[in-house]
Amino acid sequence: MGPDLKFAERNKAIINVAVPLMRKIFEVLFDYPSKRLCLYATFKSDGINHNFLKDTLQNNIELRHGTVIGRIQNKDNNQYFEASNDGGKIEVEVATLNNPEMDLKRLKEFEGPNYALMMVRCEIEKEE
């Protein structure tokens, strides 16, 4: 019968449909994680950079209280989050972003080249 010359082409076509669909399903199942940002340290309501955050997000910030597991580390006078299962509970504020792509781009520009985002499990307090 010989090699299936269209095999790779069919696989690419399937991947082009399946991967975006899987991303959408993931977003729905996990309550749209790409639209949420955990705030700690200087971006929290009482932090020195919170006003910048409000300006960046065009003052349209919905904040909820939550917790993540890990540690806050210090390096060169900057705090950063380190995910760790043996770390403690860290209180955060969770912002819901209206325009995640643009908002996160602005935050990265503000924070500089070492700014990194990671997906972590966050327990968000229920709304009353």
Side-chain angles (χ1 to χ4, degrees):
M1 293 181 77
D4 184 353
L5 300 176
K6 301 259 184 192
F7 181 76
E9 191 176 310
R10 279 196 310 275
N11 280 351
K12 285 180 186 177
I14 291 168
I15 289 169
N16 288 339
V17 171
V19 169
L21 179 62
M22 289 171 24
R23 283 188 179 132
K24 286 179 183 176
I25 291 170
F26 178 85
E27 284 288 309
V28 171
L29 286 175
F30 293 99
D31 196 24
Y32 301 94
S34 68
K35 292 186 175 193
R36 305 218 190 275
L37 182 65
C38 291
L39 307 174
Y40 64 95
T42 66
F43 280 139
K44 284 179 75 173
S45 295
D46 58 354
I48 61 173
N49 288 323
H50 188 73
N51 283 335
F52 166 80
L53 182 73
K54 282 176 37 178
D55 291 343
T56 297
L57 305 179
Q58 298 157 352
N59 287 322
N60 194 8
I61 303 176
E62 173 195 329
L63 292 177
R64 294 172 62 191
H65 293 282
T67 57
V68 294
I69 303 294
R71 294 184 183 87
I72 301 294
Q73 302 287 4
N74 288 298
K75 182 178 181 183
D76 301 327
N77 286 332
N78 291 312
Q79 292 183 324
Y80 68 92
F81 173 76
E82 180 180 87
S84 174
N85 288 334
D86 61 347
K89 279 190 174 185
I90 298 169
E91 293 199 19
V92 296
E93 292 175 338
V94 182
T96 300
L97 308 176
N98 293 318
N99 186 349
E101 209 169 286
M102 182 59 73
D103 295 337
L104 295 176
K105 180 181 177 203
R106 288 184 188 137
L107 288 174
K108 287 178 184 181
E109 288 170 358
F110 174 78
E111 287 286 341
N114 295 327
Y115 186 65
L117 294 170
M118 67 178 75
M119 189 173 290
V120 296
R121 182 176 180 271
C122 178
E123 288 187 29
I124 300 174
E125 288 183 8
K126 293 182 180 178
E127 294 181 86
E128 296 178 11

